[in-house]
Amino acid sequence: MQLPNATYRLQFRNGMDFARAVELIPHLVRLGISHLYASPIFTAVHGSTHGYDVVDFNEIDPALGGREGFLRLLRQLKAQGLGIILDIVPNHMAASLENKWWHSVIELGRSSAFAGHFDIDWRQPLILPFLGQSFEEELAAGNVRLALDRNRNCLALKYFDGLYPLSPATYSAILKGASPALQRVAAIARAAESSGTADLHSEISSVLKMPPVAAELDELLERLSAEKQQMLRLHQLQPWRLTSWKSARDQLSYRRFFEVAGLVGMRVESPSVFADTHRLTLDLIKHGLVDGLRVDHVDGLADPEAYLHRLRQLVGNSTYVVVEKILEANEALPQEWPVEGSTGYEFISALAELLTNEQPSSGLSSEARRSAVKKAVLECKLQVLNHNFNAEVMRLARLAADLGSNDGSSQDTDRCAEAIRQLMAALPVYRTYVSDRGATERDKQILDEIELKAVAAAPAAEAEIGLVIAALKSKSGFAGRELHSEFRTRFQQLSGAIMAKAVEDTFFYRTTDYLAANEVGAAPSWRPGGVDRFHEMMQDRALNMPNGLSATSTHDTKRGEDARARLYTISEAPDVWAASVARWHEMNAERIRHLPDGDAPEPSVEQFLYQSLLGIWPIRSSLDEDNLSALRERLCGFAVKALREAKLRTTWESPDERYETAVVEFLSDLLDLRSPTFLESFETTARPFIQAGLINSLAQTLVKLTAPGVPDIYQGSERFDFSLVDPDNRGRFSPRPTPSKLPRSPTASDFEDCKQSLIERCLNYRRNGGSDLLARGEYLPLHLQGPSSRHVAAFMRHTDNDFSITVVPRLVFGHTVGDRLAVLPELWEDTCLVWPDGRDLTRLQNLATGHIFEPRRHLPIADVLRNFAVAFLVPG
């Protein structure tokens, strides 16, 4: 296998297509990138902004340039020695009428050839929660009508632009008493359930060529549309039910991706479904066109291990495979999975250890905070279990009750539901991986622990909790084997969604004291462990996942890498920040709206807004109306999303527009040149945080480039990434060349060039001679001694005949030199790097600056970091 040297994550759509990607190739070559890492390229819903809503796994999206455009991109990549990694989405497809498989299922119900492709509970009608109100309300409003779908040649219920195909079995009721030509359509429709719809659609196409018959059909459908009772009866005869989008939380008959009813789960555990959904992907690999795969949301699959083994068997050992998997603290990627690693969220968590102040003064390590966080997270989990995912919980509860009945006992469905809620709320990881192969010791231990917590929380449901745990642990022993397997599978598929929505998309928008830690993959009750824990994590990474991706920004992160790097500095000066927030609160008191249910924004939200603003505040202090307007638009849109995700005073389901408007107006007032007092105060306070944050950005960049793992560069972040959560992080970008020479003493205004130059130099070193060292070399923490040793971190990567040393500053708030990208030399007085025992002294060169250092047993940090923030030392 040819391992990637470095990947460049490119988000197709939003103005990026294959032709534009071709134009980027020279830039990628200069950077030292080895593989383009592409977001999903298969045909997605029309107008998709991300591509994860696939409608055809076996077609390359014409909107991106189609197959020919993709092949041209591949030829250009190969010509420059670059490979490509594809992002594949086996867990779900778009529940869209554009999806031919889904359309067939709606039309034919369980008789469709694709009914088994989707994860649907056929014990009830297929619920389609895509109406603004209930079906009866929409019908009364005249928004639902009978229509002829002239593109698909079928009869349908029309709801605005949506045409939901009617079951052929109901054509007779519609066409009763019509002309012979339409009666023939009805006769063919009666056979469609067993023979398929091809003949039916062909006959309708023929009918449409006869103007009198087509006019008769239009008139008939128009007349029947006005007969409300007939329309209600017709709706009840379908294998599906159109419902309000709000009903999905309580009534849903298919597995969805998280809370997104527009994304339906796939049954890729079935060999035939796997084959149908992977045909094009496997063909591209077979012909040597694609070098690697990223498997999206692997935890959503019924049996991730079995899926990955099947995938590996078909793509071979020469294909690079990584999985999107959130690893909690002290959780390892299962060794049984035949993959190179994960997509790298855990690397972001490691950087938080490095760049966050671990001392008690940060306020992040107190037991009181930890206890409050645990309580808040539990509340968030129970909220989404009781409300957002009630349909999934009750489906599981019914399965559990049936399991108990089959086993000779009797369980109450409501108590089963409570058992499921308490167990999932207690789960410390995204999911367990119990299968017909049994449970690992790790999973048994987790299940034992959550059983004790669940029983303590809900003693009345102790019997039901025991039943659920037995069903999760057991390979067999239940009378209904299929029922047992279904319950175990669905429990494990749901638990990851609960963790994601409760922690990442609820709690992290509620807790506002330290936003830098509120990131995908972060532990909510995390305590900073400092350099020692960072080194432990990197040593573990070198041993267990040396070829996984090392990410700092992705399309899913809550904020861009440089915004996060800046916000880490708040842990260094919590008192300064708290005093500033108090001053701004008093300064802006008149802007706060006093609503009946409380102030808007309330203090916690106000704190959230100030930190968010700090993260995206411009490096250069000059603010004109255009810049402020753009800042306002970004932050106000983000604020509304954050408030709804927090689910406290407004939600996506029931938005409180008065509250949201009040918060948006508060922000708009702050970011107004006509009221400069706040802007001037914020700029003055922000400046030292910004300067220290830029040092952090360069430090985390160098660490990513040289620590164990494959560096992953998110589009545009080679210069800077101060983005907020999507869609803010999916904007267009334009590459710029790296200057041939950087200033001897670069300043903040040179940051973008310095960051890109650092990436370019280190990646080209990896590509041109350091690939084996940085891919396979051991990781050795280096000892620092002196009064400021806690302000610097260093490590060596080494093989038998080569080595490199990475040196980065940390916790430098208040120690920067004006606007220079450097640290005050006085900080490093008497602080040095101790040369490791067992290695010969040798002359060193700093690849970041070109400076040469003569060999010394104690290397002064003041010399190493004299003219630039970071140092990457190699034998010189």
Side-chain angles (χ1 to χ4, degrees):
M1 178 190 298
Q2 183 65 42
L3 292 171
N5 177 59
T7 59
Y8 191 90
R9 173 68 179 196
L10 198 60
Q11 290 295 117
F12 284 107
R13 301 172 175 82
N14 302 309
M16 178 60 67
D17 58 15
F18 299 141
R20 183 148 184 253
V22 168
E23 297 173 0
L24 288 175
I25 292 175
H27 174 66
L28 303 185
V29 172
R30 287 193 298 269
L31 279 180
I33 299 296
S34 66
H35 287 71
L36 179 66
Y37 171 23
S39 67
I41 62 166
F42 303 116
T43 300
V45 170
H46 180 73
S48 172
T49 59
H50 49 76
Y52 289 93
D53 44 1
V54 176
V55 298
D56 191 340
F57 284 112
N58 296 305
E59 179 184 60
I60 296 174
D61 203 332
L64 303 180
R67 187 178 182 89
E68 286 306 310
F70 184 61
L71 292 177
R72 178 171 177 263
L73 170 61
L74 295 183
R75 287 194 295 270
Q76 295 296 319
L77 288 169
K78 301 297 182 187
Q80 296 296 324
L82 272 64
I84 188 167
I85 297 168
L86 289 188
D87 191 344
I88 61 172
V89 193
N91 178 69
H92 53 265
M93 283 187 90
S96 164
L97 293 166
E98 297 176 41
N99 182 342
K100 294 178 182 178
W101 295 356
W102 185 245
H103 189 278
S104 171
V105 170
I106 296 175
E107 186 171 26
L108 290 174
R110 203 165 188 174
S111 299
S112 167
F114 303 104
H117 282 51
F118 300 102
D119 206 341
I120 298 171
D121 181 2
W122 287 109
R123 288 167 286 201
Q124 58 180 308
L126 175 60
I127 302 299
L128 302 175
F130 304 121
L131 303 183
Q133 303 176 86
S134 70
F135 181 83
E136 292 76 13
E137 290 171 312
E138 295 289 3
L139 181 64
N143 295 329
V144 179
R145 308 188 66 79
L146 279 170
L148 176 65
D149 185 340
R150 285 176 162 78
N151 291 322
R152 298 286 180 85
N153 293 315
C154 64
L155 299 183
L157 280 186
K158 186 175 189 296
Y159 177 69
F160 293 100
D161 294 332
L163 288 162
Y164 294 88
L166 297 175
S167 167
T170 62
Y171 277 36
S172 294
I174 298 169
L175 302 176
K176 185 178 181 180
S179 65
L182 292 179
Q183 286 296 323
R184 175 172 169 75
V185 170
I188 295 174
R190 283 191 289 272
E193 188 170 333
S194 58
S195 62
T197 57
D199 289 344
L200 174 62
H201 295 166
S202 177
E203 185 65 24
I204 292 176
S205 177
S206 298
V207 163
L208 292 177
K209 295 175 183 177
M210 297 183 283
V213 180
E216 178 193 1
L217 180 58
D218 287 339
E219 182 181 343
L220 175 62
L221 298 178
E222 185 68 22
R223 176 169 53 81
L224 289 176
S225 294
E227 299 180 12
K228 304 305 182 186
Q229 289 304 312
Q230 175 73 352
M231 290 285 283
L232 287 170
R233 284 193 294 271
L234 184 63
H235 182 234
Q236 290 295 315
L237 291 172
Q238 303 308 312
W240 44 266
R241 299 288 184 273
L242 279 168
T243 64
S244 164
W245 66 275
K246 292 185 179 182
S247 70
R249 68 172 186 258
D250 295 316
Q251 186 182 19
L252 196 64
S253 55
Y254 60 87
R255 182 172 62 87
R256 55 184 170 163
F257 171 71
F258 291 178
E259 290 182 87
V260 186
L263 296 174
V264 56
M266 304 299 293
R267 296 186 62 250
V268 291
E269 63 271 21
S270 163
S272 61
V273 178
F274 183 100
D276 284 347
T277 54
H278 291 71
R279 187 170 294 111
L280 178 54
T281 297
L282 296 175
D283 183 69
L284 292 170
I285 290 174
K286 177 183 176 181
H287 289 90
L289 301 175
V290 168
D291 306 281
L293 299 173
R294 174 217 193 244
V295 180
D296 181 67
H297 189 47
V298 73
D299 275 349
L301 304 182
D303 187 344
E305 181 184 341
Y307 168 85
L308 292 169
H309 276 287
R310 179 177 288 146
L311 182 68
R312 176 60 76 189
Q313 182 180 15
L314 292 168
V315 302
N317 292 327
S318 61
T319 302
Y320 179 78
V321 179
V322 290
V323 293
E324 184 196 30
K325 163 65 188 165
I326 307 297
L327 295 168
E328 293 298 315
N330 303 315
E331 182 184 11
L333 201 66
Q335 294 182 350
E336 301 82 10
W337 291 5
V339 298
E340 275 58 63
S342 77
T343 54
Y345 294 122
E346 70 286 340
F347 187 77
I348 298 175
S349 298
L351 290 172
E353 303 287 4
L354 177 66
L355 298 175
T356 297
N357 179 14
E358 70 275 21
Q359 293 192 339
S361 60
S362 70
L364 298 172
S365 300
S366 73
E367 191 56 43
R369 182 182 189 274
R370 187 179 180 87
S371 177
V373 165
K374 286 184 176 180
K375 180 181 178 182
V377 169
L378 181 63
E379 290 173 355
C380 291
K381 287 184 176 182
L382 290 173
Q383 179 176 339
V384 299
L385 282 159
N386 277 292
H387 186 79
N388 306 64
F389 290 92
N390 186 53
E392 286 84 353
V393 169
M394 294 311 298
R395 183 180 179 184
L396 274 171
R398 288 189 291 271
L399 288 173
D402 290 345
L403 264 180
S405 298
N406 288 352
D407 204 40
S409 58
S410 177
Q411 263 75 33
D412 177 77
T413 302
D414 288 340
R415 286 201 301 271
C416 284
E418 183 61 14
I420 289 160
R421 293 187 194 103
Q422 293 297 339
L423 286 166
M424 284 196 183
L427 199 63
V429 292
Y430 270 60
R431 64 167 285 175
T432 52
Y433 299 99
V434 187
S435 68
D436 289 340
R437 298 179 298 277
T440 63
E441 289 304 313
R442 168 256 193 196
D443 283 344
K444 289 177 183 176
Q445 181 178 346
I446 289 173
L447 293 173
D448 286 342
E449 290 171 356
I450 67 172
E451 181 178 15
L452 292 174
K453 291 180 180 179
V455 169
E462 182 174 3
E464 288 75 13
I465 290 168
L467 170 72
V468 171
I469 290 294
L472 291 172
K473 282 184 179 180
S474 175
K475 291 176 63 176
S476 59
F478 283 85
R481 182 171 178 175
E482 286 187 12
L483 187 65
H484 172 211
S485 179
E486 181 183 2
F487 174 81
R488 184 182 60 214
T489 296
R490 297 204 181 287
F491 183 99
Q492 294 180 118
Q493 287 177 304
L494 178 59
S495 67
I498 299 303
M499 179 74 88
K501 296 307 294 182
V503 177
E504 294 172 24
D505 291 343
T506 303
F507 175 74
F508 281 166
Y509 287 103
R510 292 182 180 183
T511 183
T512 62
D513 56 345
Y514 189 54
L515 297 188
N518 297 357
E519 193 50 86
V520 180
S525 56
W526 166 75
R527 289 177 175 177
V531 175
D532 289 345
R533 189 181 297 163
F534 169 77
H535 285 320
E536 290 173 7
M537 295 173 76
M538 289 302 100
Q539 288 174 310
D540 179 77
R541 189 172 182 81
L543 184 65
N544 295 312
M545 199 165 42
N547 301 320
L549 295 181
S550 296
T552 43
S553 289
T554 78
H555 62 287
D556 280 331
T557 43
K558 300 300 182 188
R559 47 191 47 82
E561 59 192 56
D562 298 311
R564 193 184 317 111
R566 181 182 294 175
L567 294 178
Y568 286 137
T569 62
I570 289 177
S571 70
E572 303 176 54
D575 294 340
V576 173
W577 180 254
S580 299
V581 169
R583 184 172 67 255
W584 297 327
H585 177 72
E586 184 177 347
M587 182 186 300
N588 298 319
E590 294 182 359
R591 297 183 168 105
I592 295 173
R593 275 58 167 178
H594 304 292
L595 304 180
D597 61 339
D599 289 349
E602 56 268 54
S604 62
V605 171
E606 191 178 0
Q607 156 87 312
F608 180 87
L609 297 176
Y610 293 141
Q611 279 202 40
S612 299
L613 182 60
L614 176 64
I616 64 173
W617 195 257
I619 294 175
R620 301 167 187 84
S621 59
S622 58
L623 280 174
D624 56 28
E625 182 50 41
D626 288 342
N627 289 332
L628 266 183
S629 176
L631 206 63
R632 242 188 338 262
E633 182 178 356
R634 291 175 60 205
L635 194 58
C636 287
F638 167 72
V640 171
K641 177 171 183 173
L643 294 172
R644 292 183 181 180
E645 294 286 11
K647 306 174 187 66
L648 291 172
R649 293 174 66 180
T650 185
T651 66
W652 293 105
E653 186 179 279
S654 300
D656 184 334
E657 293 183 3
R658 183 170 62 167
Y659 170 64
E660 292 176 1
T661 299
V663 174
V664 167
E665 288 177 350
F666 174 82
L667 274 175
S668 297
D669 289 347
L670 295 188
L671 302 176
D672 191 330
L673 282 176
R674 292 172 297 182
S675 304
T677 304
F678 168 75
L679 296 176
E680 291 170 359
S681 174
F682 194 86
E683 162 63 27
T684 300
T685 300
R687 190 49 44 192
F689 289 98
I690 289 172
Q691 203 63 30
L694 295 178
I695 303 294
N696 278 352
S697 289
L698 294 172
Q700 76 175 358
T701 297
L702 181 59
V703 168
K704 177 171 73 171
L705 299 172
T706 59
V710 176
D712 176 36
I713 312 296
Y714 186 72
Q715 61 178 34
S717 69
E718 63 270 28
R719 296 194 65 77
F720 67 86
D721 185 359
F722 294 100
S723 63
L724 296 162
V725 74
D726 70 281
D728 192 60
N729 61 8
R730 294 176 181 174
R732 299 188 181 193
F733 71 99
S734 298
R736 293 176 56 184
T738 306
S740 58
K741 191 174 183 180
L742 294 174
R744 285 182 56 85
S745 298
T747 64
S749 61
D750 302 308
F751 170 75
E752 297 164 49
D753 289 337
C754 288
K755 184 180 178 186
Q756 183 166 305
S757 174
L758 183 64
I759 291 171
E760 189 172 306
R761 293 183 187 196
C762 291
L763 290 188
N764 278 285
Y765 167 81
R766 288 181 72 116
R767 182 172 62 185
N768 296 329
S771 59
D772 185 67
L773 169 66
L774 294 178
R776 298 179 178 84
E778 293 185 35
Y779 180 94
L780 177 66
L782 294 182
H783 179 61
L784 286 304
Q785 71 177 33
S788 294
S789 58
R790 68 180 299 265
H791 291 278
V792 63
F795 59 83
M796 174 182 282
R797 303 296 307 282
H798 65 95
T799 61
D800 290 340
N801 52 17
D802 200 4
F803 73 91
S804 67
I805 294 174
T806 297
V807 183
V808 295
R810 62 187 296 267
L811 312 182
V812 297
F813 181 89
H815 299 291
T816 55
V817 186
D819 69 344
R820 286 177 52 197
L821 297 178
V823 178
L824 284 169
E826 303 89 86
L827 178 66
W828 307 127
E829 186 175 354
D830 298 326
T831 301
C832 61
L833 184 155
V834 180
W835 194 258
D837 293 334
R839 297 209 70 93
D840 295 336
L841 287 171
T842 185
R843 194 166 73 162
L844 301 170
Q845 181 182 22
N846 183 358
L847 280 190
T849 62
H851 289 127
I852 301 295
F853 300 93
E854 295 301 325
R856 297 177 65 175
R857 183 63 61 184
H858 293 81
L859 196 59
I861 296 299
D863 292 345
V864 175
L865 301 180
R866 183 171 302 281
N867 294 309
F868 194 55
V870 299
F872 182 51
L873 309 176
V874 297

